[in-house]
Amino acid sequence: MEFNNEFILGCSAIGAGIAVISGIGTGIGQGNAAGMAAQAVSRNPSLKSDITSTMLLGQAVAETTGLYGLLVAMLLMFVQPLVP
Amino acid sequence: MGEGILLSGADVDFMIHGVFSYELFGQKLWITTSHVCLLIVMLVIIGFSVAAKRMIKRAEEVPSGFQNVVELAVEMLDKMISGSMGKFAPRFRNYIGTIFIFILLSNISGLFGLRPPTADYGVTFALGILTFLLINYNELKHQKVSGFVKGLCDPWPIWLPINIIGKIAVPLSLSLRLFANILSGVVMMALIYGLLSKVAIIWPAALHVYFDLFSGSIQTYVFCMLTMTYITSACETD
């Protein structure tokens, strides 16, 4: 079996697809944070702006891992580091 | 696929292009579209600042028109910065305000047909390096060398390499977060305009609102909040 460029590009596309699965964890985490923030607002509506900013900060930090997956997918698809 | 809605032969273009090249010390360097968009953003900010300064010189007791806008922006930034930095706010008001306005305008410049400069890793990495230098400078200044070394050897000296990695990860994650968010917006818009060019008439405006305005302002806020949090924790002596 020979490894020509087309084969490597196809495998890169599969790898990019697998890399974007990291979005699952990000989605669960961000949804969890948003749900908790909604609970907190319903308990203490006077702190709404503080809770919102804290939630946004936490969600942004949680988003990082998903974004790393996205970056890996982008590199595999458009920079094509594996193609000789 | 042929002549369907999805034209597979359509050119999807979201890369950075070179405008012209020049030689410096035997190196071939390029002026790219990022530089051009950055210059446009800078010119807009400079024009706004000059206009604001001229207006403030003959400010009125009861603000009207342009003075309202400037006062609103300054008060909003002041409130945000003093809300999260406390007593350290006055010293960092200039820096945080500047990067806030710069990143915000860069992010929403996609609305005006430019390629956002923050979708270039060179720009966001420079911002991350600035934050990194500020954090470590303030840590050295407020906690002295002993506190700095103690922070590196926390809790035992054997953790030194991990703490150094943690310090280096701060500017990397800050810059990569901003870069990847804006880049994903740019790629999505380029895909929609490139692949669905026949049916992309008015509805992409809603996507522009999400990817450029909403995502851009959230990421601006997050970058500035994280910068302020890191700097405040570096300034605090316990």
Side-chain angles (χ1 to χ4, degrees):
Chain A
M1 187 175 179
E2 55 164 336
F3 295 116
N4 49 9
N5 275 0
E6 284 73 21
F7 180 76
I8 296 175
L9 270 180
C11 287
S12 295
I14 295 174
I18 294 174
V20 184
I21 294 179
S22 65
I24 292 178
T26 306
I28 293 175
Q30 286 190 333
N32 212 343
M36 293 289 183
Q39 249 177 28
V41 171
S42 77
R43 279 199 193 140
N44 196 347
S46 59
L47 286 178
K48 187 162 185 272
S49 62
D50 278 357
I51 291 169
T52 311
S53 65
T54 312
M55 179 196 78
L56 282 179
L57 208 63
Q59 283 186 333
V61 175
E63 200 177 15
T64 313
T65 48
L67 288 173
Y68 288 160
L70 177 79
L71 272 181
V72 170
M74 291 262 180
L75 288 177
L76 281 175
M77 288 302 291
F78 297 112
V79 183
Q80 296 166 358
L82 300 181
V83 177
Chain B
M1 199 60 79
E3 285 290 307
I5 289 175
L6 283 172
L7 281 178
S8 55
D11 49 345
V12 179
D13 180 31
F14 53 85
M15 291 294 184
I16 304 166
H17 296 286
V19 179
F20 67 91
S21 64
Y22 59 97
E23 294 260 339
L24 191 69
F25 304 124
Q27 292 260 4
K28 195 180 183 196
L29 300 175
W30 283 90
I31 295 287
T32 60
T33 43
S34 303
H35 291 105
V36 177
C37 297
L38 209 53
L39 268 178
I40 295 172
V41 169
M42 265 164 56
L43 283 180
V44 169
I45 296 178
I46 290 172
F48 185 81
S49 314
V50 169
K53 183 161 186 283
R54 286 175 64 134
M55 187 274 312
I56 283 295
K57 270 186 180 165
R58 44 183 179 74
E60 293 156 17
E61 191 67 31
V62 180
S64 63
F66 186 54
Q67 192 180 342
N68 264 328
V69 177
V70 175
E71 283 188 5
L72 187 75
V74 171
E75 271 172 14
M76 239 172 54
L77 285 174
D78 262 4
K79 209 173 126 193
M80 185 187 87
I81 294 164
S82 54
S84 75
M85 293 195 84
K87 60 175 179 172
F88 305 109
R91 284 177 40 218
F92 297 103
R93 204 171 272 160
N94 288 333
Y95 175 69
I96 307 286
T98 309
I99 60 168
F100 189 92
I101 294 172
F102 170 69
I103 298 175
L104 183 65
L105 275 187
S106 303
N107 287 352
I108 66 175
S109 66
L111 277 182
F112 306 105
L114 302 175
R115 189 184 187 281
T118 32
D120 183 339
Y121 191 53
V123 178
T124 55
F125 189 58
L127 291 169
I129 288 286
L130 272 178
T131 299
F132 177 70
L133 292 179
L134 261 180
I135 294 167
N136 283 306
Y137 171 73
N138 280 299
E139 204 168 347
L140 273 177
K141 189 179 165 193
H142 287 267
Q143 308 184 1
K144 305 291 182 297
V145 180
S146 60
F148 190 77
V149 174
K150 202 184 277 176
L152 277 180
C153 300
D154 182 51
W156 297 301
I158 205 169
W159 294 99
L160 180 70
I162 295 178
N163 281 326
I164 289 177
I165 292 174
K167 271 208 181 304
I168 294 172
V170 167
L172 276 181
S173 70
L174 263 181
S175 54
L176 274 177
R177 183 176 304 125
L178 182 59
F179 166 70
N181 264 295
I182 307 304
L183 182 74
S184 65
V186 171
V187 171
M188 290 291 287
M189 292 320 291
L191 285 179
I192 283 163
Y193 281 128
L195 297 179
L196 299 177
S197 55
K198 286 190 175 166
V199 289
I201 309 291
I202 294 172
W203 57 268
L207 292 173
H208 268 298
V209 168
Y210 178 74
F211 286 123
D212 288 333
L213 274 180
F214 179 73
S215 185
S217 23
I218 292 276
Q219 287 312 312
T220 312
Y221 179 72
V222 162
F223 190 93
C224 292
M225 282 302 280
L226 282 176
T227 303
M228 286 190 285
T229 316
Y230 283 131
I231 292 178
T232 313
S233 70
C235 281
E236 267 166 357
T237 50
D238 38 27

